[in-house]
Amino acid sequence: MWQNLPPIWRATKGWAKAVRRRRFLLQTAGLASAAAYGLSGCGSGSSKSSLHLMVASYDQSVGSSIGDQWDQVVKAYKKVKPDVTVHVERIPFAKLDRTLAQRVKDGKAPDIAQSNVFATFADQRKLYPVSELFDIPTQADFTQSFAQAGTAHYVQYGIPFMASTPRLFYNTTLFGRAGISAPGSWDELRSAAKALKAIGVKTPYGLQLGPEAAEDEALAWLLAGGGTYAGVTGYDFATNSNIATLTWLRDRLVGEGLAGAAPQLLDRTAAYEQFLRGQIGMMIAHPVLMNAADQAKVPYAHAAFPQRDGGAAAPVGLSDWLLAFKQNGRNAECGEFLTYLYSRKSARTYGGGQAALPVTASASDSLRSDPAQRPLWKFIDQMPRAEFQPVNQASWPDVRAAIREDIGSAVVRGGNPRAVLQALDTKASRAEMRTSG
């Protein structure tokens, strides 16, 4: 969805609008990908029917409207299914989940909807499982780490629609001046940050623990330190590995002035802006940053985020979902339309300028074999290893809000990682009780 982002030299404000929503950065396999999938078709039918799609709309700071891609998909689908009328309703992204929840509550669910969440609807048995929508080859074509993330109670309900995995971006000019290379461990990252600080870089490492997307940055570090947010039996924040990770951040990075003045306040939008101005030496970022950096003529490279003692850490997986609702009884119609989006074996996403990542193995293979798509290869290669937040828990939105509010306080001077993580466990237990009642 990151098509034609406005050049940074036109207006920094334009870039800020383009990335203000953390969710915007998750939209990396979007309708550009869907339009590509949609070229295959699945035959014509004879019965007259209709489908109601509820999708996100985005402001024009993105460039060309993503909604236009849906128009292309619907137009193409009409040629192979002339007796099916597809109505597309666009909801501002910031209001999408709230609007969808209200529609479902009021008994007016769409047939197919885009959403950030699916677990609550799955718990309420309002969704068709993927097994009732796609044939087995199409189901098997989804990148398994993303398909698994869409599973609740051992059944997949969330259809991965927009996907991303971040990497460690760094300013190659600053790294050259400091005489350093991409870090391969936490000690090397700290040494690189110290070298950047020595040449006057304002924020050697951009630790993004502000409330916009703290849960993503924090999880990247926890995974790299051998931890995560939840275990087999549920949320489990206050583990020894998680405590050790946040303690290292507090003492070895933030405490030594290597992560800026206030990492607990640094949002993703601000971090991207600062990187493009040369004020941040390195940070975790999504493919969208490539296009912006290219337009702003900022020299950069990216590498896998390192594990504590070396090697590539599992990347954080991020996705939106398409959901098919049972309410209107349009199982076959939903399945045919969704198969149309996803089943084309030669499906491929648009190029690196759009920073789109595919969500099927066939599309990944197609893109991975194209030299013109080289900027995205490393992102695609790491997708099968992606680890996700516990999005399959109905309590996750409440727990995510708690992480955004609290996690940054653990790493500031005088912060108490153990106490913060224990408090998150308590809040998570309460959220689970509320959502299971």
Side-chain angles (χ1 to χ4, degrees):
M1 65 171 284
W2 297 321
Q3 301 167 215
N4 305 318
L5 285 176
I8 190 66
W9 58 81
R10 290 183 187 170
T12 302
K13 187 181 297 184
W15 164 249
K17 286 182 66 180
V19 299
R20 182 153 287 116
R21 305 178 188 87
R22 67 159 291 280
R23 302 170 188 82
F24 173 70
L25 302 174
L26 310 187
Q27 320 306 305
T28 47
L31 291 171
S33 179
Y37 293 129
L39 296 178
S40 61
C42 53
S44 59
S46 58
S47 60
K48 294 182 180 295
S49 58
S50 64
L51 278 175
H52 174 200
L53 273 61
M54 178 184 289
V55 301
S57 66
Y58 306 88
D59 63 43
Q60 290 299 315
S61 65
V62 185
S64 63
S65 171
I66 295 176
D68 293 341
Q69 301 293 343
W70 275 120
D71 293 339
Q72 294 175 25
V73 171
V74 170
K75 183 177 180 180
Y77 188 64
K78 188 70 173 178
K79 292 181 179 179
V80 296
K81 300 290 284 187
D83 294 314
V84 178
T85 300
V86 180
H87 303 282
V88 178
E89 180 184 9
R90 298 177 176 86
I91 304 295
F93 194 90
K95 299 179 180 179
L96 180 63
D97 289 338
R98 183 170 65 253
T99 301
L100 178 60
Q102 188 62 49
R103 294 281 184 88
V104 173
K105 182 179 180 181
D106 294 342
K108 300 177 180 179
D111 297 306
I112 298 172
Q114 176 186 348
S115 181
N116 290 292
V117 297
F118 65 88
T120 298
F121 303 125
D123 286 355
Q124 296 169 351
R125 301 186 178 182
K126 294 184 180 296
L127 302 176
Y128 288 115
V130 166
S131 61
E132 295 183 20
L133 299 167
F134 299 102
D135 59 22
I136 291 176
T138 304
Q139 293 179 57
D141 197 31
F142 286 107
T143 300
Q144 288 304 297
S145 58
F146 284 79
Q148 183 62 35
T151 299
H153 310 298
Y154 306 102
V155 177
Q156 185 184 351
Y157 295 97
I159 306 166
F161 174 57
M162 297 180 173
S164 182
T165 57
R167 289 171 63 80
L168 182 69
F169 279 70
Y170 57 96
N171 184 310
T172 54
T173 294
L174 296 178
F175 267 52
R177 285 175 52 200
I180 54 178
S181 57
S185 68
W186 289 7
D187 284 344
E188 290 181 8
L189 187 149
R190 176 173 167 266
S191 295
K194 291 175 70 174
L196 290 168
K197 184 179 180 180
I199 64 170
V201 177
K202 181 179 179 180
T203 304
Y205 179 83
L207 185 63
Q208 304 156 58
L209 293 180
E212 183 182 358
E215 72 277 11
D216 299 337
E217 176 85 23
L219 182 58
W221 281 95
L222 296 184
L223 290 172
T228 188
Y229 285 152
V232 176
T233 59
Y235 295 102
D236 194 8
F237 286 98
T239 63
N240 289 335
S241 57
N242 287 352
I243 294 169
T245 292
L246 296 186
T247 300
W248 189 93
L249 286 173
R250 181 195 64 188
D251 296 342
R252 309 305 297 274
L253 205 66
V254 178
E256 295 186 9
L258 303 177
Q264 76 278 14
L265 302 178
L266 182 62
D267 282 335
R268 177 177 287 165
T269 298
Y272 279 45
E273 293 171 354
Q274 291 172 32
F275 184 87
L276 295 174
R277 296 191 193 108
Q279 297 171 343
I280 287 179
M282 55 181 162
M283 67 178 197
I284 295 174
H286 291 267
V288 65
L289 188 58
M290 292 192 295
N291 187 60
D294 288 342
Q295 294 191 55
K297 302 188 183 305
V298 175
Y300 70 92
H302 52 77
F305 192 72
Q307 295 185 85
R308 180 170 191 148
D309 296 323
V316 176
L318 301 170
S319 181
D320 266 13
W321 312 96
L322 290 182
L323 315 177
F325 285 86
K326 291 181 175 181
Q327 179 179 300
N328 302 314
R330 298 193 177 107
N331 186 352
E333 293 89 341
C334 288
E336 288 179 351
F337 181 80
L338 290 168
T339 296
Y340 185 75
L341 292 181
Y342 287 100
S343 65
R344 187 178 184 228
K345 295 306 178 183
S346 61
R348 57 185 301 158
T349 60
Y350 286 3
Q354 282 72 35
L357 301 185
V359 295
T360 62
S362 58
S364 295
D365 290 345
S366 177
L367 192 151
R368 186 64 178 79
S369 66
D370 184 355
Q373 309 303 324
R374 186 179 297 273
L376 293 179
W377 286 1
K378 294 296 185 181
F379 293 93
I380 292 170
D381 289 348
Q382 67 182 19
M383 288 178 71
R385 299 178 57 239
E387 297 282 348
F388 283 76
Q389 297 153 0
V391 293
N392 62 345
Q393 301 294 320
S395 57
W396 171 242
D398 290 341
V399 176
R400 178 182 60 192
I403 295 171
R404 291 177 175 180
E405 181 178 355
D406 298 343
I407 200 73
S409 65
V411 303
V412 300
R413 294 180 186 274
N416 188 330
R418 182 183 298 274
V420 169
L421 291 170
Q422 288 174 341
L424 285 173
D425 275 326
T426 299
K427 291 181 179 181
S429 296
R430 292 173 181 169
E432 287 186 299
M433 291 178 64
R434 286 193 302 271
T435 56
S436 64

